[in-house]
Amino acid sequence: MLNLNRRFVCGFAAAAMALFPLAATAQDARELTFSAVFTQNDIRAEMMEKLKSAVADSFDLQLYYGGTLFAQGTELVAIQRGNLDMSNVAPQDIAKQIPAFSILTAAYLFRDAEHLSTFFASEAGEEMVAMAEDQLGIHILGPTYFGTRQVNLRGDKEIRTPEDMSGVKLRMPGGDAWQFLGEALGANPTPMAYSEVYTGLQSGAIDGQDNPFPNVENMKFYEVTDQIVLTSHLVAFDLLVISSRVWDEMTEEQRTAFQSAADEAIAWSTEQHLAREDELAAFFEGEGLKIYEPDLDAFRSHAQTKYLESDLSADWPEGMLDRINGL
């Protein structure tokens, strides 16, 4: 009987020792909370799942999508208050606190995803990143491209120039930078929460919205609109950010691993978005939407003139526009 008990105790101890490292790892992994407005069906949600898996040894990312934890536009303040650790923050939200950052929200600034990536890897990009990090208490992991924004409308009115957009109630996110973008397109910008846009289009409360193709598909806006005007007015990106407090508390090894994992996830997401944009034009046409290109020179000229004549451009860093254009 004594030998049996001894065998039982030894077996139990061995099992406990085998389980202990797993328990310790789970306990040691620091929990980080992430919130974003995009849905779980979004490519960027899969990007975050990839990041979560890559850093799981040291960090337990709790991922909240669809604005369920923090509403669109409130994430940056939540990070600053210590209520949130990570988010995909729109540059327009940064511009609310740092007016100079509004240059990165201007229409027709970046030509494509490659130009965007090249800028953030440049000295000029590093200066803008440092400006945000120094003033806002965040660390920017990188820009997350999610497509080129196009105008998506109800009705069959043909849009060729900004003048044709006069009187069009175009949903734009809240905030001065977003609203000004709508004006720069010639429209009547109307602030509305992202989650309310489908119903707004369906009811006629708004005439249209602007988003990249993948967002139009994810949110099923194609079901309640009739046309897509290929204005290509904004290379859409957010910034994947983490609280400086959290970043500074990491070891150097953890920061290197976390940044590397973020870089890989962001690069994968960019590739997926570019491929998906190519596929979706045919899909939308198959759903009955009319897709066409307006007079892009007229839109570009109108928008750039509006920006340069506005108070927004007065805050832009001297020479930054030329440096971006020269990349």
Side-chain angles (χ1 to χ4, degrees):
M1 186 69 178
L2 180 60
N3 290 338
L4 179 62
N5 287 342
R6 217 174 256 165
R7 284 197 301 271
F8 173 78
V9 170
C10 289
F12 179 82
M17 289 178 66
L19 289 173
F20 181 75
L22 296 178
T25 300
Q27 289 174 349
D28 292 345
R30 178 174 180 175
E31 185 175 297
L32 299 178
T33 305
F34 171 89
S35 177
V37 69
F38 53 75
T39 71
Q40 62 183 7
N41 298 322
D42 196 291
I43 292 171
R44 289 166 294 176
E46 193 168 349
M47 173 191 78
M48 291 306 302
E49 297 292 344
K50 288 182 178 296
L51 178 58
K52 176 184 174 78
S53 297
V55 301
D57 285 349
S58 299
F59 301 97
D60 178 18
L61 269 58
Q62 299 296 307
L63 307 175
Y64 294 86
Y65 306 126
T68 54
L69 189 61
F70 290 97
Q72 183 178 25
T74 66
E75 302 95 342
L76 177 57
V77 174
I79 291 174
Q80 292 172 315
R81 291 176 175 173
N83 298 324
L84 183 65
D85 299 311
M86 295 182 65
S87 184
N88 232 35
V89 174
Q92 288 81 359
D93 292 333
I94 293 178
K96 291 177 185 177
Q97 299 189 40
I98 305 177
F101 219 81
S102 66
I103 189 172
L104 301 187
T105 72
Y108 299 104
L109 178 68
F110 296 113
R111 295 184 291 274
D112 50 31
E114 184 177 1
H115 188 201
L116 172 71
S117 178
T118 299
F119 165 72
F120 275 98
S122 72
E123 184 178 333
E126 290 174 356
E127 289 173 15
M128 296 300 293
V129 166
M131 181 191 300
E133 291 182 341
D134 292 345
Q135 297 185 45
L136 301 181
I138 57 174
H139 174 75
I140 297 176
L141 294 163
T144 56
Y145 171 82
F146 60 96
T148 300
R149 297 181 87 95
Q150 315 290 0
V151 171
N152 179 207
L153 301 173
R154 289 161 40 97
D156 57 4
K157 178 185 178 181
E158 190 169 272
I159 304 296
R160 289 296 172 188
T161 68
E163 288 71 27
D164 296 327
M165 292 286 289
S166 178
V168 172
K169 292 179 291 184
L170 187 68
R171 176 270 172 181
M172 302 297 292
D176 292 343
W178 280 118
Q179 295 298 296
F180 189 83
L181 175 59
E183 292 179 15
L185 294 173
N188 178 20
T190 304
M192 180 178 286
Y194 191 51
S195 59
E196 299 172 5
V197 175
Y198 185 97
T199 303
L201 289 166
Q202 190 176 42
S203 67
I206 52 175
D207 301 316
Q209 63 89 32
D210 86 309
N211 260 298
F213 279 3
N215 294 40
V216 175
E217 180 202 23
N218 292 337
M219 301 301 287
K220 300 188 183 300
F221 296 148
Y222 62 87
E223 295 181 346
V224 287
T225 54
D226 303 291
Q227 59 172 305
I228 295 176
V229 188
L230 299 176
T231 50
S232 301
H233 53 275
L234 193 70
V235 172
F237 72 97
D238 288 329
L239 294 166
L240 182 59
V241 307
I242 186 169
S243 163
S244 290
R245 172 183 52 81
V246 173
W247 186 254
D248 292 343
E249 289 172 356
M250 292 184 187
T251 65
E252 186 62 34
E253 183 180 7
Q254 287 176 328
R255 285 196 290 267
T256 299
F258 203 100
Q259 183 65 64
S260 178
D263 290 343
E264 289 187 19
I266 289 171
W268 174 88
S269 176
T270 298
E271 291 175 2
Q272 294 298 308
H273 276 96
L274 290 170
R276 195 72 185 119
E277 283 183 292
D278 290 340
E279 299 167 357
L280 284 173
F283 170 75
F284 293 144
E285 288 180 329
E287 292 295 312
L289 271 69
K290 180 181 178 182
I291 301 179
Y292 60 95
E293 189 173 283
D295 184 342
L296 288 178
D297 287 339
F299 270 95
R300 185 179 296 107
S301 175
H302 182 270
Q304 290 178 347
T305 298
K306 291 282 286 185
Y307 274 98
L308 292 175
E309 291 178 349
S310 73
D311 293 336
L312 287 176
S313 63
D315 296 312
W316 293 355
E318 185 176 354
M320 183 60 69
L321 182 61
D322 290 335
R323 294 169 73 184
I324 294 173
N325 288 336
L327 290 172

